[in-house]
Amino acid sequence: QMAFVSHSHRDPNGTYTFSSRPRPVENRSKYREPPCEQTHSNYGNIMYDRRVVRGNTYAQHIIPTTAQPDPAEILRQQEIRRRAIARRRAREHLKPKTPEALQGRKHIDVQTDLYLEELSDVIVATDIECQTEAFLDKPATPLFIPAKSGKDAETQIEEGELFDFDREVQPMLEVLVGKTIEQSLLEVMEEEELACLRAQQRAFEELRNNELAEVHRLQEQERRHSEEKERRIAQQKEVMKKERETAEKIAARAYTQQYLADLLPAVFTSLRSHGYFYDPVEKDIETDFFPWLMDEVNNSLEKRYIAREMLDTVIHDVTQKRLEMFKELETQPDKSDI
């Protein structure tokens, strides 16, 4: 049996290579082995190699060779592996098994198919030999030569019977000389025509240059006229604007004068009525003299009123006394008569 040897390495530029030596097919039993007894086989086909990436690789994050592994990712992979082992062990415990064999006995594989066949680990091999007859080497194939057909004939041609150089070359020379002269004439005519074309082209260019100069002059003149026109229009607009502003100022001044003609007297009258404009003498008379005068007049009138009251009281008392006296005098005569 040949050992299975595989080699895999990664080049410095990041290319992964894999190589393995050929090996024979392993001898497997007819029935599937229990999961616990199955051995992991190293596949030689890259289609079954887990290291081969399948699908879209644009969005995959490829970790470079020199990068350090992530500790969190290592712990997560270990946790996943531990859980898978635990689930496998749980399935093995829950899977129904054949009871253990009794003491002195053992379990063996038994065929339950309808047609039985003999099972044996020894393969029967028989050697059989046979001898073939010796063959001679094939001779070389001869060259194929077709059969001759027709009749041979011959004739004799003397010198000068088929071709006379001086007579045969004359038409060719005529054609060559004629073609040469014709080509020369064509070239001369072409040169003359080209010269005429150049002269016409120069005349056309001169005419065109003159026309372009005239066009440029007219354009420049039109441009100057346009600029002058725009400048005159701008000046006229500025004059009209100033005239309009002057008219507006005059109208505003006239309206202001007309408005203020009635406004100023009314304002001064209102201010004067509210006491903002006053005569100092008049103000002094109104604020100082008139109050003193009114106080003095009030005092004098009060004194007169008091005097009048006192006089009225005296007159009333005197009148009362006189009246009493007159009454007494009237009663006394009556008493005397009695």
Side-chain angles (χ1 to χ4, degrees), residues 17-141:
T17 57
F18 175 80
S19 61
S20 62
R21 295 179 60 186
R23 61 181 179 83
V25 180
E26 297 180 356
N27 295 325
R28 295 184 297 179
S29 60
K30 182 177 180 181
Y31 300 100
R32 184 181 300 173
E33 297 179 357
C36 59
E37 297 180 3
Q38 290 181 0
T39 59
H40 178 70
S41 60
N42 295 325
Y43 297 100
N45 191 351
I46 62 174
M47 293 300 295
Y48 299 96
D49 196 340
R50 297 182 181 275
R51 293 167 293 184
V52 177
V53 179
R54 297 176 180 83
N56 190 0
T57 58
Y58 290 115
Q60 290 187 357
H61 179 68
I62 301 176
I63 302 176
T65 311
T66 58
Q68 297 294 333
D70 189 6
E73 184 67 19
I74 294 175
L75 294 177
R76 191 174 67 84
Q77 294 293 338
Q78 292 178 357
E79 182 67 18
I80 293 173
R81 196 178 299 108
R82 185 183 60 79
R83 291 180 181 178
I85 294 172
R87 285 196 297 270
R88 191 184 306 112
R89 290 178 180 176
R91 284 197 300 269
E92 290 178 358
H93 285 296
L94 296 176
K95 183 178 180 180
K97 296 182 179 180
T98 305
E100 297 294 335
L102 299 177
Q103 186 177 4
R105 298 184 181 182
K106 64 178 182 178
H107 293 306
I108 60 174
D109 296 333
V110 179
Q111 293 185 11
T112 57
D113 298 338
L114 183 61
Y115 301 98
L116 304 179
E117 61 178 352
E118 183 181 3
L119 300 177
S120 176
D121 295 337
V122 179
I123 300 175
V124 178
T126 304
D127 296 334
I128 299 176
E129 297 179 356
C130 63
Q131 181 65 37
T132 58
E133 296 179 358
F135 289 96
L136 299 177
D137 295 335
K138 181 179 178 181
T141 303

Side-chain angles (χ1 to χ4, degrees), residues 177-288:
V177 171
K179 285 292 182 181
T180 303
I181 295 173
E182 184 180 0
Q183 186 67 24
S184 301
L185 292 175
L186 289 176
E187 290 179 358
V188 171
M189 293 173 64
E190 184 178 359
E191 290 178 357
E192 293 179 354
E193 185 177 0
L194 290 176
C196 293
L197 290 175
R198 291 192 186 95
Q200 293 180 2
Q201 187 175 3
R202 284 194 298 271
F204 175 75
E205 288 180 356
E206 291 178 359
L207 180 61
R208 186 183 63 178
N209 293 333
N210 295 331
E211 291 179 355
L212 288 176
E214 184 66 19
V215 168
H216 289 322
R217 187 183 65 78
L218 294 176
Q219 289 179 353
E220 186 67 20
Q221 183 179 0
E222 183 66 22
R223 185 183 62 81
R224 289 197 301 269
H225 290 171
S226 300
E227 291 179 355
E228 183 67 19
K229 181 179 178 181
E230 292 178 356
R231 187 175 62 81
R232 293 290 180 85
I233 292 173
Q235 289 179 356
Q236 187 65 23
K237 288 183 178 180
E238 188 68 23
V239 171
M240 293 178 64
K241 181 179 178 182
K242 290 182 178 180
E243 291 179 356
R244 187 170 57 254
E245 290 179 355
T246 305
E248 290 178 356
K249 289 180 180 179
I250 293 172
R253 183 177 180 182
Y255 177 76
T256 304
Q257 290 179 353
Q258 182 181 0
Y259 181 74
L260 293 178
D262 298 332
L263 180 64
L264 290 176
V267 170
F268 286 128
T269 303
S270 177
L271 292 175
R272 189 178 293 107
S273 63
H274 285 81
Y276 290 97
F277 300 125
Y278 57 89
D279 189 4
V281 177
E282 183 180 358
K283 183 69 174 178
D284 189 15
I285 291 172
E286 291 179 355
T287 56
D288 296 335

Side-chain angles (χ1 to χ4, degrees), residues 297-312:
V297 170
N298 289 330
N299 293 330
S300 179
L301 292 175
E302 187 176 358
K303 289 179 180 180
R304 287 183 179 184
Y305 179 73
I306 294 172
R308 287 179 180 180
E309 285 185 353
M310 293 178 67
L311 182 60
D312 290 341

